[in-house]
Amino acid sequence: MKASLLLIGLLSAGVAMASPPAPKQEGIESKDYKWNAQAGEKVEALTKKGDKKRGEEGYETCGACHLPSGAGRPDGTFPQLAGQHTTVLIKQMADIRAGLRDNPTMYPFAATLTDAQELADVAAYIESLCIPADHGHYDSKPGDAGKDWKAPTDTEKRLAEGKALYEKECLECHGKNGEGVKDKFYPVIAGQHYKYLLRQMTEIRDGHRRNANPDMVKIIKKYSNDQLISISAYQSSLVMPGNMCKPKAGAAKKK
Amino acid sequence: MKFVMTLIAAAVVASPAIAALDGAALYKDKTCNACHGPKGDKPLMPSYPKVAGQNAAYIEAQMKDIKSGARNNGQTAAMKGVMHLVNDEEIKAIAEHLSKLK
């Protein structure tokens, strides 16, 4: 009797404590993994016509971290979304929702989006945002920098080294100006924060970004941490032609 | 000389580094509001805590433990991802702000 009561107690505690855990789908760690498999909610969302107006409402929950402007944070905690291809936005949202890309911080937010239509709507809204004129670079002053912060002295060297490496192996897919390829789900990297790029490349190289493209993993495997710093430095210096935000009135006066 | 000293004193008093941190502004800027609600009383998920009105010392200790990894149970994985955004002083200011909310 005591044992069964205990069991009931344990079972109900299990139910009460259960909060929706992120699902886990097999990714790059599995030998059966197929990158960007055309299945599930993603495919449905890609075929829907996104509604900007409805997307603006859906984006409200995203904006608390990615900011209403879609600029993310220059410290790289959250990526810039403005300027990104809708295909990429939809794929990443769907992958996080499906548990193919692990992101415990974002998962609950992604989970609040209702369905494929809302993914399409939010992506359409983000697409309508202008691209912020500035973002985090290699030599950007960190927001929490103390008074004794000094800009790195090797920026030029980093950019030159990064450019050479980028043009050797990254350019083919991500483009001369970091524009990616919309139809192939290759992300825009121009305008992205340096620290975000560095973190993602490191995670892709080390197998932690489980929805990564195995072709990219093969390429990036051989790069050292130091080389990734240079590549990220160069990537974050890229500017692609796009819908740039107009500089704020008065911003020019400061200089 | 006296004039210079007065100037220095005035600068020190006015310096924003010495002024108390604005917990309410930090709560929003550091994205706490995204999960716990703008007023700390409407969390995104039922498994996330309401933090409004909580004791400042308790909030401060939990934030520090989640940041350091000393506490890694429950929903802390979701919060760990943003904890590098705050330092000890900011944690204190946010905790004090929240403790005053209802």
Side-chain angles (χ1 to χ4, degrees):
Chain A
M1 182 61 194
K2 236 185 188 171
S4 61
L5 269 179
L6 187 65
L7 189 65
I8 291 168
L10 281 174
L11 282 173
S12 53
V15 171
M17 269 157 49
S19 57
K24 187 148 182 163
Q25 197 176 315
E26 287 205 334
I28 200 144
E29 71 282 7
S30 155
K31 62 177 190 323
D32 301 324
Y33 172 61
K34 189 172 175 289
W35 181 72
N36 199 18
Q38 292 300 301
E41 177 183 62
K42 171 181 64 190
V43 178
E44 206 188 327
L46 288 166
T47 55
K48 302 240 184 244
K49 188 171 161 36
D51 181 291
K52 222 166 57 179
K53 202 99 196 114
R54 283 197 309 256
E56 186 171 6
E57 264 172 57
Y59 184 77
E60 224 170 279
T61 178
C62 321
C65 292
H66 292 280
L67 301 193
S69 63
R73 292 179 78 103
D75 62 31
T77 308
F78 306 113
Q80 175 166 302
L81 302 177
Q84 189 54 270
H85 299 310
T86 50
T87 52
V88 173
L89 295 167
I90 287 172
K91 178 182 188 301
Q92 298 305 323
M93 284 191 281
D95 282 356
I96 288 170
R97 282 160 65 90
L100 186 55
R101 177 175 171 182
D102 304 314
N103 190 329
T105 306
M106 173 157 161
Y107 175 75
F109 294 94
T112 63
L113 298 172
T114 50
D115 52 15
Q117 180 64 56
E118 195 165 23
L119 295 192
D121 294 344
V122 168
Y125 175 68
I126 295 172
E127 189 183 34
S128 76
L129 296 170
C130 67
I131 303 169
D134 206 12
H135 58 273
H137 294 270
Y138 172 67
D139 56 357
S140 294
K141 185 176 178 181
D144 59 351
K147 268 186 225 126
D148 47 359
W149 180 82
K150 285 194 186 85
T153 52
D154 63 345
T155 305
E156 255 177 70
K157 192 177 139 263
R158 288 282 181 198
L159 291 177
E161 186 183 301
K163 182 175 196 284
L165 292 169
Y166 182 84
E167 291 183 347
K168 206 165 122 199
E169 288 198 286
C170 317
L171 182 147
E172 189 183 333
C173 291
H174 290 283
K176 191 169 186 336
N177 301 309
E179 65 270 25
V181 184
K182 184 174 181 179
D183 295 346
K184 290 188 170 174
F185 300 80
Y186 298 163
V188 172
I189 47 177
Q192 193 52 269
H193 308 299
Y194 159 73
K195 284 195 175 161
Y196 181 77
L197 291 164
L198 179 57
R199 193 169 78 244
Q200 295 310 312
M201 285 206 287
T202 308
E203 292 191 356
I204 289 169
R205 182 192 65 185
D206 299 344
H208 299 311
R209 192 161 144 169
R210 299 189 305 106
N211 69 339
N213 184 335
D215 293 337
M216 171 157 173
V217 176
K218 223 177 278 169
I219 290 170
I220 203 170
K221 267 272 183 253
K222 57 182 166 295
Y223 291 112
S224 67
N225 289 345
D226 193 67
Q227 286 173 313
L228 292 188
I229 289 175
S230 297
I231 298 173
S232 310
Y234 177 68
Q235 287 172 334
S236 60
S237 77
L238 292 170
V239 179
M240 69 174 237
N243 171 28
M244 301 303 286
C245 301
K246 295 194 178 66
K248 276 183 207 138
K253 274 186 219 158
K254 271 189 189 166
K255 277 205 169 172
Chain B
M1 185 61 193
K2 232 185 190 173
F3 177 63
V4 173
M5 291 294 276
T6 317
L7 263 187
I8 290 171
V12 166
V13 170
S15 161
I18 288 176
L21 291 169
D22 183 346
L26 286 169
Y27 180 74
K28 185 164 178 271
D29 179 53
K30 305 297 181 182
T31 69
C32 317
N33 60 331
C35 287
H36 295 283
K39 291 175 187 156
D41 59 351
K42 283 202 178 68
L44 176 75
M45 310 287 284
S47 54
Y48 292 175
K50 294 179 182 174
V51 286
Q54 183 54 271
N55 293 318
Y58 180 75
I59 299 181
E60 186 183 350
Q62 297 312 311
M63 284 201 279
K64 284 184 174 167
D65 284 352
I66 289 170
K67 183 177 177 179
S68 75
R71 181 179 165 184
N72 63 1
N73 64 337
Q75 307 295 311
T76 52
M79 183 153 151
K80 185 107 194 326
V82 295
M83 289 311 288
H84 65 272
L85 296 174
V86 284
N87 61 31
D88 283 1
E89 268 175 277
E90 289 164 339
I91 285 176
K92 209 177 176 79
I94 292 168
E96 271 163 25
H97 161 66
L98 290 174
S99 70
K100 286 176 199 139
L101 297 177
K102 281 189 181 147

